[in-house]
Coordinates of all heavy atoms in Angstrom, one line a residue:
M1 N -33.4 64.8 -73.9 CA -31.9 64.6 -73.7 C -31.3 64.1 -74.9 O -31.9 63.3 -75.7 CB -31.7 63.6 -72.5 CG -31.4 64.4 -71.2 SD -30.9 63.3 -69.9 CE -29.8 62.1 -70.5
Q2 N -30.1 64.6 -75.2 CA -29.3 64.0 -76.3 C -28.7 62.7 -76.0 O -28.3 62.4 -74.9 CB -28.2 65.0 -76.7 CG -27.7 64.7 -78.1 CD -26.7 65.7 -78.6 OE1 -26.9 66.9 -78.3 NE2 -25.6 65.3 -79.2
C3 N -28.7 61.8 -77.1 CA -28.1 60.5 -76.9 C -26.6 60.7 -76.5 O -25.9 61.5 -77.1 CB -28.2 59.8 -78.3 SG -27.4 58.2 -78.3
P4 N -26.2 59.9 -75.5 CA -24.8 60.1 -74.9 C -23.7 59.4 -75.8 O -22.6 59.6 -75.5 CB -24.9 59.4 -73.6 CG -26.0 58.4 -73.7 CD -27.0 58.9 -74.7
I5 N -24.1 58.8 -76.9 CA -23.1 58.2 -77.8 C -22.4 59.3 -78.5 O -23.0 60.1 -79.2 CB -23.7 57.2 -78.8 CG1 -24.4 56.1 -78.0 CG2 -22.6 56.6 -79.7 CD1 -23.6 55.2 -77.1
P6 N -21.0 59.3 -78.4 CA -20.3 60.4 -79.1 C -20.6 60.5 -80.6 O -20.7 59.5 -81.3 CB -18.8 60.0 -78.9 CG -18.8 59.1 -77.7 CD -20.1 58.4 -77.8
G7 N -20.9 61.7 -81.0 CA -21.2 62.0 -82.4 C -22.7 61.8 -82.8 O -23.1 62.1 -83.9
C8 N -23.5 61.2 -81.9 CA -24.9 61.0 -82.2 C -25.7 62.3 -81.9 O -25.5 62.9 -80.8 CB -25.5 59.9 -81.4 SG -27.2 59.5 -81.8
T9 N -26.5 62.7 -82.8 CA -27.2 63.9 -82.6 C -28.7 63.7 -82.4 O -29.5 64.6 -82.2 CB -27.1 64.8 -83.9 OG1 -27.5 64.1 -85.0 CG2 -25.7 65.3 -84.1
D10 N -29.1 62.4 -82.3 CA -30.4 62.0 -82.0 C -30.8 62.2 -80.5 O -29.9 62.4 -79.7 CB -30.6 60.5 -82.3 CG -31.8 60.2 -83.1 OD1 -32.7 61.0 -83.1 OD2 -31.8 59.2 -83.9
S11 N -32.0 62.3 -80.2 CA -32.4 62.5 -78.8 C -33.0 61.3 -78.2 O -33.6 60.5 -79.0 CB -33.3 63.7 -78.7 OG -34.4 63.5 -79.5
T12 N -33.0 61.2 -76.9 CA -33.6 60.1 -76.2 C -34.9 60.5 -75.7 O -35.2 61.7 -75.5 CB -32.7 59.6 -75.0 OG1 -32.6 60.7 -74.1 CG2 -31.3 59.2 -75.4
R13 N -35.9 59.6 -75.6 CA -37.1 59.9 -75.0 C -37.0 59.8 -73.4 O -36.1 59.1 -73.0 CB -38.2 58.9 -75.5 CG -38.5 59.2 -76.9 CD -39.7 58.4 -77.3 NE -39.7 58.2 -78.8 CZ -40.0 57.0 -79.4 NH1 -40.3 56.0 -78.7 NH2 -39.9 57.0 -80.7
P14 N -37.9 60.4 -72.7 CA -37.8 60.3 -71.2 C -37.8 58.9 -70.8 O -38.6 58.1 -71.3 CB -39.1 61.0 -70.8 CG -39.5 61.9 -71.9 CD -39.0 61.3 -73.1
G15 N -36.9 58.6 -69.9 CA -36.8 57.2 -69.4 C -35.9 56.3 -70.2 O -35.7 55.2 -69.9
Q16 N -35.4 56.8 -71.3 CA -34.6 56.0 -72.2 C -33.1 56.4 -72.0 O -32.8 57.6 -71.9 CB -35.0 56.1 -73.7 CG -36.2 55.3 -74.0 CD -36.5 55.3 -75.4 OE1 -36.3 56.3 -76.1 NE2 -37.1 54.2 -75.9
L17 N -32.3 55.5 -72.1 CA -30.8 55.7 -71.9 C -30.2 56.2 -73.2 O -29.4 57.1 -73.2 CB -30.2 54.4 -71.5 CG -28.7 54.4 -71.3 CD1 -28.2 55.4 -70.3 CD2 -28.2 53.0 -70.9
L18 N -30.5 55.6 -74.3 CA -30.0 55.9 -75.6 C -31.1 56.2 -76.6 O -32.2 55.9 -76.4 CB -29.1 54.8 -76.1 CG -28.0 54.2 -75.2 CD1 -27.4 53.0 -75.8 CD2 -26.9 55.3 -75.1
C19 N -30.7 56.7 -77.8 CA -31.7 56.9 -78.8 C -32.1 55.5 -79.3 O -31.4 54.5 -79.0 CB -31.1 57.7 -80.0 SG -29.9 56.9 -80.9
R20 N -33.2 55.4 -80.1 CA -33.7 54.1 -80.5 C -32.7 53.3 -81.2 O -32.5 52.1 -81.0 CB -35.0 54.3 -81.3 CG -35.9 53.1 -81.3 CD -37.3 53.6 -81.6 NE -37.4 54.2 -82.9 CZ -38.4 54.1 -83.7 NH1 -39.5 53.4 -83.3 NH2 -38.4 54.7 -84.9
L21 N -32.0 53.9 -82.1 CA -31.0 53.2 -82.9 C -29.9 52.6 -82.1 O -29.5 51.4 -82.2 CB -30.4 54.2 -84.0 CG -29.2 53.6 -84.8 CD1 -29.8 52.6 -85.8 CD2 -28.4 54.7 -85.5
H22 N -29.4 53.4 -81.2 CA -28.2 52.9 -80.4 C -28.7 51.9 -79.3 O -28.0 51.0 -78.9 CB -27.5 54.1 -79.7 CG -26.6 54.8 -80.8 ND1 -26.6 56.1 -81.0 CD2 -25.7 54.2 -81.6 CE1 -25.7 56.4 -82.0 NE2 -25.2 55.3 -82.3
W23 N -29.9 52.1 -78.8 CA -30.4 51.2 -77.8 C -30.5 49.8 -78.4 O -30.3 48.8 -77.8 CB -31.7 51.7 -77.2 CG -32.3 50.7 -76.2 CD1 -33.4 50.0 -76.3 CD2 -31.8 50.4 -74.9 NE1 -33.6 49.2 -75.1 CE2 -32.6 49.5 -74.2 CE3 -30.6 50.9 -74.2 CZ2 -32.4 49.0 -73.0 CZ3 -30.4 50.4 -72.9 CH2 -31.3 49.4 -72.3
S24 N -30.9 49.8 -79.7 CA -31.1 48.5 -80.4 C -29.8 47.8 -80.6 O -29.7 46.6 -80.9 CB -31.8 48.7 -81.7 OG -31.0 49.4 -82.6
A25 N -28.7 48.6 -80.5 CA -27.3 48.0 -80.7 C -26.7 47.4 -79.4 O -25.7 46.8 -79.4 CB -26.4 49.1 -81.2
V26 N -27.5 47.7 -78.3 CA -27.0 47.1 -77.0 C -27.4 45.6 -76.9 O -28.5 45.3 -77.2 CB -27.7 47.9 -75.8 CG1 -27.3 47.3 -74.5 CG2 -27.3 49.4 -75.9
P27 N -26.4 44.8 -76.6 CA -26.7 43.3 -76.5 C -27.8 43.1 -75.4 O -27.9 43.8 -74.4 CB -25.4 42.7 -76.0 CG -24.4 43.7 -76.3 CD -25.0 45.0 -76.2
T28 N -28.7 42.1 -75.7 CA -29.8 41.8 -74.8 C -29.4 41.6 -73.3 O -30.0 42.1 -72.4 CB -30.5 40.5 -75.3 OG1 -30.8 40.6 -76.6 CG2 -31.8 40.2 -74.5
E29 N -28.2 40.9 -73.1 CA -27.8 40.7 -71.8 C -27.5 42.0 -71.0 O -27.8 42.2 -69.9 CB -26.5 39.9 -71.9 CG -25.9 39.4 -70.5 CD -24.5 38.8 -70.7 OE1 -24.5 37.7 -71.2 OE2 -23.6 39.5 -70.4
L30 N -26.9 43.0 -71.8 CA -26.6 44.3 -71.2 C -27.8 45.1 -70.9 O -27.9 45.8 -69.9 CB -25.6 45.0 -72.1 CG -24.6 45.9 -71.5 CD1 -23.9 45.4 -70.3 CD2 -23.5 46.2 -72.6
K31 N -28.8 45.0 -71.8 CA -30.1 45.7 -71.6 C -30.7 45.2 -70.4 O -31.2 46.0 -69.6 CB -31.0 45.4 -72.8 CG -30.8 46.2 -74.0 CD -31.8 45.8 -75.1 CE -31.5 46.4 -76.4 NZ -32.2 45.9 -77.5
G32 N -30.7 43.8 -70.2 CA -31.3 43.2 -69.0 C -30.6 43.8 -67.7 O -31.3 44.0 -66.7
R33 N -29.3 43.9 -67.8 CA -28.5 44.4 -66.6 C -28.9 45.9 -66.3 O -29.1 46.2 -65.2 CB -27.0 44.4 -67.0 CG -26.2 43.9 -65.8 CD -24.7 43.8 -66.2 NE -24.0 44.9 -65.6 CZ -22.8 45.3 -66.0 NH1 -22.2 44.8 -67.1 NH2 -22.1 46.2 -65.4
V34 N -29.1 46.7 -67.4 CA -29.5 48.1 -67.2 C -30.8 48.1 -66.5 O -31.0 48.8 -65.5 CB -29.5 48.9 -68.5 CG1 -30.1 50.2 -68.3 CG2 -28.1 49.0 -69.1
W35 N -31.8 47.3 -67.0 CA -33.1 47.4 -66.4 C -33.2 46.8 -65.0 O -33.9 47.4 -64.2 CB -34.1 46.6 -67.3 CG -34.5 47.3 -68.6 CD1 -34.3 46.9 -69.9 CD2 -35.1 48.6 -68.7 NE1 -34.8 47.8 -70.7 CE2 -35.3 48.9 -70.1 CE3 -35.5 49.5 -67.7 CZ2 -35.8 50.1 -70.5 CZ3 -36.1 50.7 -68.2 CH2 -36.3 51.0 -69.6
S36 N -32.5 45.7 -64.8 CA -32.6 45.1 -63.5 C -31.9 46.0 -62.4 O -32.4 46.1 -61.3 CB -32.0 43.7 -63.4 OG -30.7 43.7 -63.7
T37 N -30.8 46.6 -62.8 CA -30.1 47.5 -61.8 C -30.9 48.8 -61.6 O -31.0 49.3 -60.5 CB -28.7 47.9 -62.2 OG1 -28.7 48.4 -63.5 CG2 -27.8 46.6 -62.2
W38 N -31.6 49.2 -62.7 CA -32.5 50.4 -62.5 C -33.6 50.1 -61.6 O -34.0 50.9 -60.7 CB -33.0 50.9 -63.9 CG -34.0 51.9 -63.8 CD1 -35.3 51.8 -64.1 CD2 -33.8 53.3 -63.4 NE1 -36.0 53.0 -63.9 CE2 -35.1 53.9 -63.5 CE3 -32.7 54.0 -63.0 CZ2 -35.2 55.3 -63.1 CZ3 -32.9 55.4 -62.6 CH2 -34.1 56.0 -62.7
R39 N -34.3 48.9 -61.8 CA -35.4 48.6 -60.9 C -34.9 48.5 -59.5 O -35.6 48.9 -58.6 CB -36.0 47.2 -61.4 CG -37.1 47.4 -62.4 CD -37.9 46.1 -62.5 NE -37.1 45.0 -62.8 CZ -36.8 44.6 -64.1 NH1 -37.3 45.2 -65.1 NH2 -36.1 43.5 -64.3
A40 N -33.8 47.9 -59.3 CA -33.3 47.8 -57.9 C -33.0 49.2 -57.3 O -33.3 49.4 -56.1 CB -32.0 47.0 -57.9
F41 N -32.6 50.1 -58.1 CA -32.3 51.5 -57.6 C -33.6 52.1 -57.3 O -33.8 52.8 -56.2 CB -31.6 52.2 -58.7 CG -31.4 53.7 -58.4 CD1 -30.8 54.1 -57.3 CD2 -31.9 54.6 -59.3 CE1 -30.7 55.5 -57.0 CE2 -31.8 56.0 -59.0 CZ -31.2 56.4 -57.9
T42 N -34.7 52.0 -58.1 CA -35.9 52.7 -57.9 C -36.6 52.0 -56.7 O -37.5 52.7 -56.0 CB -36.9 52.6 -59.1 OG1 -37.1 51.2 -59.4 CG2 -36.3 53.3 -60.3
K43 N -36.3 50.8 -56.3 CA -37.0 50.1 -55.2 C -36.2 50.4 -53.9 O -36.7 50.0 -52.8 CB -37.1 48.6 -55.4 CG -38.2 48.3 -56.4 CD -38.2 46.7 -56.6 CE -39.3 46.4 -57.6 NZ -39.1 44.9 -58.0
A44 N -35.0 50.9 -54.0 CA -34.2 51.2 -52.8 C -35.0 52.1 -51.8 O -35.5 53.2 -52.3 CB -32.9 51.7 -53.2
V45 N -35.0 51.7 -50.6 CA -35.7 52.6 -49.6 C -34.7 53.3 -48.7 O -33.8 52.7 -48.1 CB -36.7 51.7 -48.7 CG1 -37.3 52.6 -47.7 CG2 -37.7 51.0 -49.6
G46 N -34.8 54.6 -48.7 CA -33.9 55.4 -47.9 C -32.7 55.9 -48.7 O -32.3 55.3 -49.7
H47 N -32.2 57.0 -48.2 CA -31.1 57.7 -48.9 C -29.9 56.8 -49.0 O -29.3 56.7 -50.1 CB -30.7 58.9 -48.1 CG -29.7 59.8 -48.8 ND1 -29.9 60.4 -50.0 CD2 -28.4 60.1 -48.5 CE1 -28.8 61.0 -50.4 NE2 -27.9 60.8 -49.4
R48 N -29.5 56.1 -48.0 CA -28.3 55.3 -48.0 C -28.4 54.1 -48.9 O -27.5 53.8 -49.7 CB -28.0 54.8 -46.6 CG -26.7 54.2 -46.4 CD -26.5 53.6 -45.0 NE -25.4 52.7 -44.9 CZ -24.1 53.1 -44.9 NH1 -23.8 54.3 -44.9 NH2 -23.1 52.2 -44.9
A49 N -29.6 53.4 -48.9 CA -29.9 52.3 -49.8 C -29.8 52.7 -51.2 O -29.3 52.0 -52.1 CB -31.2 51.6 -49.4
A50 N -30.4 53.9 -51.5 CA -30.4 54.4 -52.8 C -29.0 54.7 -53.3 O -28.7 54.4 -54.5 CB -31.2 55.7 -52.9
L51 N -28.2 55.2 -52.5 CA -26.8 55.5 -52.8 C -26.0 54.2 -53.2 O -25.3 54.1 -54.2 CB -26.0 56.2 -51.7 CG -26.2 57.7 -51.6 CD1 -25.4 58.3 -50.4 CD2 -25.8 58.4 -52.9
V52 N -26.3 53.2 -52.4 CA -25.6 51.9 -52.6 C -26.1 51.2 -53.9 O -25.4 50.7 -54.7 CB -25.9 50.9 -51.4 CG1 -25.4 49.5 -51.7 CG2 -25.2 51.4 -50.1
A53 N -27.4 51.4 -54.2 CA -28.0 50.7 -55.3 C -27.8 51.5 -56.6 O -27.9 51.0 -57.7 CB -29.6 50.6 -55.1
R54 N -27.3 52.7 -56.5 CA -27.1 53.6 -57.6 C -25.9 53.1 -58.5 O -25.9 53.2 -59.7 CB -26.9 55.0 -57.1 CG -27.0 56.1 -58.2 CD -27.1 57.4 -57.6 NE -26.9 58.5 -58.6 CZ -25.8 59.2 -58.7 NH1 -24.8 58.9 -57.9 NH2 -25.7 60.1 -59.7
Q55 N -24.9 52.7 -57.8 CA -23.6 52.4 -58.5 C -23.7 51.3 -59.5 O -23.2 51.4 -60.6 CB -22.5 52.1 -57.5 CG -21.1 52.2 -58.1 CD -20.8 53.6 -58.8 OE1 -21.1 54.6 -58.2 NE2 -20.4 53.5 -60.1
P56 N -24.4 50.1 -59.1 CA -24.5 49.1 -60.2 C -25.2 49.6 -61.4 O -24.9 49.2 -62.5 CB -25.3 48.0 -59.4 CG -25.1 48.2 -58.0 CD -24.9 49.7 -57.8
Y57 N -26.2 50.4 -61.2 CA -27.0 51.0 -62.3 C -26.0 51.8 -63.2 O -26.0 51.7 -64.4 CB -28.2 51.8 -61.9 CG -28.8 52.6 -63.0 CD1 -29.3 52.0 -64.1 CD2 -28.7 54.0 -63.0 CE1 -29.8 52.7 -65.2 CE2 -29.1 54.7 -64.0 CZ -29.7 54.1 -65.1 OH -30.2 54.9 -66.2
L58 N -25.3 52.7 -62.5 CA -24.4 53.6 -63.3 C -23.3 52.8 -64.0 O -23.0 53.1 -65.2 CB -23.7 54.6 -62.3 CG -24.6 55.6 -61.7 CD1 -23.8 56.5 -60.8 CD2 -25.3 56.5 -62.8
D59 N -22.9 51.7 -63.4 CA -21.9 50.8 -64.1 C -22.5 50.1 -65.3 O -21.9 50.1 -66.4 CB -21.4 49.7 -63.1 CG -20.5 50.3 -62.0 OD1 -20.1 51.4 -62.1 OD2 -20.3 49.6 -61.0
A60 N -23.7 49.6 -65.2 CA -24.4 49.0 -66.3 C -24.7 50.0 -67.4 O -24.5 49.7 -68.6 CB -25.7 48.4 -65.8
R61 N -25.1 51.1 -67.0 CA -25.4 52.2 -68.0 C -24.1 52.6 -68.8 O -24.1 52.7 -70.0 CB -25.8 53.4 -67.1 CG -26.3 54.6 -67.9 CD -26.7 55.7 -66.9 NE -27.1 56.9 -67.5 CZ -26.3 57.8 -68.1 NH1 -25.0 57.6 -68.0 NH2 -26.8 58.9 -68.7
Q62 N -23.0 52.7 -68.0 CA -21.7 53.1 -68.7 C -21.3 51.9 -69.6 O -20.7 52.2 -70.7 CB -20.7 53.4 -67.6 CG -19.4 54.1 -68.2 CD -19.8 55.4 -68.9 OE1 -20.5 56.2 -68.4 NE2 -19.3 55.5 -70.2
A63 N -21.5 50.7 -69.2 CA -21.1 49.5 -70.0 C -21.8 49.5 -71.3 O -21.3 49.2 -72.3 CB -21.3 48.2 -69.2
A64 N -23.1 49.8 -71.2 CA -23.9 49.9 -72.4 C -23.4 51.0 -73.4 O -23.3 50.8 -74.6 CB -25.4 50.1 -72.1
I65 N -23.2 52.1 -72.8 CA -22.7 53.3 -73.6 C -21.3 52.9 -74.2 O -21.1 53.1 -75.4 CB -22.6 54.5 -72.8 CG1 -24.0 55.0 -72.4 CG2 -21.8 55.6 -73.5 CD1 -24.0 56.1 -71.3
D66 N -20.4 52.3 -73.4 CA -19.1 52.0 -73.9 C -19.2 50.9 -75.0 O -18.5 51.0 -76.0 CB -18.2 51.4 -72.8 CG -17.8 52.5 -71.8 OD1 -18.0 53.7 -72.1 OD2 -17.3 52.2 -70.7
H67 N -20.1 50.0 -74.8 CA -20.2 48.9 -75.9 C -20.6 49.5 -77.2 O -20.0 49.2 -78.2 CB -21.3 47.9 -75.4 CG -21.5 46.8 -76.4 ND1 -20.8 45.6 -76.4 CD2 -22.3 46.8 -77.5 CE1 -21.1 44.9 -77.4 NE2 -22.1 45.6 -78.1
V68 N -21.6 50.3 -77.2 CA -22.1 50.9 -78.4 C -21.1 51.9 -79.0 O -20.9 51.8 -80.3 CB -23.5 51.7 -78.2 CG1 -23.9 52.3 -79.5 CG2 -24.5 50.7 -77.7
A69 N -20.5 52.7 -78.2 CA -19.4 53.6 -78.7 C -18.3 52.8 -79.3 O -17.8 53.2 -80.4 CB -18.9 54.5 -77.6
A70 N -17.9 51.7 -78.7 CA -16.8 50.9 -79.2 C -17.2 50.2 -80.5 O -16.4 50.1 -81.5 CB -16.3 49.9 -78.2
A71 N -18.4 49.8 -80.6 CA -18.9 49.1 -81.8 C -19.0 50.0 -83.0 O -18.9 49.6 -84.1 CB -20.3 48.5 -81.5
Q72 N -19.2 51.3 -82.7 CA -19.3 52.3 -83.7 C -17.9 52.5 -84.4 O -17.9 53.1 -85.5 CB -19.7 53.6 -83.1 CG -21.1 53.9 -83.0 CD -21.4 55.4 -83.1 OE1 -22.3 55.8 -83.8 NE2 -20.6 56.2 -82.4
G73 N -16.9 52.3 -83.7 CA -15.6 52.5 -84.3 C -15.2 54.0 -84.1 O -15.9 54.8 -83.5
P74 N -14.0 54.3 -84.5 CA -13.5 55.7 -84.3 C -14.4 56.7 -85.0 O -15.0 56.4 -86.1 CB -12.1 55.7 -84.9 CG -12.0 54.5 -85.6 CD -13.1 53.5 -85.2
L75 N -14.6 57.9 -84.4 CA -15.4 58.9 -85.0 C -14.6 59.6 -86.2 O -13.4 59.7 -86.1 CB -15.7 60.0 -84.0 CG -16.7 59.5 -82.9 CD1 -16.9 60.5 -81.8 CD2 -18.1 59.2 -83.5
L76 N -15.4 60.0 -87.1 CA -14.8 60.7 -88.3 C -14.5 62.1 -87.9 O -15.2 62.7 -87.1 CB -15.7 60.7 -89.5 CG -16.0 59.3 -90.1 CD1 -17.0 59.4 -91.2 CD2 -14.7 58.7 -90.7
Ligands
LIG101 ZN1 -27.7 57.6 -80.5

């Protein structure tokens, strides 16, 4: 998969959210949030529980992407 950071042409490895460079730019606290919400999602039992657990992960994921994209500054 391609790294979701706008303008980045690097690819992510399976199970990774961002390319190595951009993942390293995510603050530790936010990385922890992505992992803990992901774990909660994978442990959710049943369709309904999975749907409920999915949103915090998507929020954390988006927060990490937004943080790195904002830190990058405007694209050339
Ligand atoms: Zn990237």
Side-chain angles (χ1 to χ4, degrees):
M1 260 183 45
Q2 195 177 318
C3 176
I5 302 301
C8 183
T9 54
D10 230 333
S11 56
T12 61
R13 289 188 203 139
Q16 284 187 327
L17 176 58
L18 304 171
C19 70
R20 205 155 59 148
L21 175 73
H22 283 128
W23 181 247
S24 71
V26 176
T28 308
E29 185 191 288
L30 210 43
K31 280 180 188 168
R33 220 179 110 199
V34 171
W35 284 123
S36 63
T37 53
W38 170 250
R39 272 197 302 271
F41 172 58
T42 59
K43 281 180 185 170
V45 177
H47 184 66
R48 193 182 162 80
L51 278 180
V52 170
R54 192 166 170 259
Q55 197 56 48
Y57 166 65
L58 292 178
D59 289 347
R61 186 181 179 280
Q62 193 58 50
I65 292 170
D66 288 349
H67 178 92
V68 177
Q72 270 209 137
L75 289 172
L76 294 174

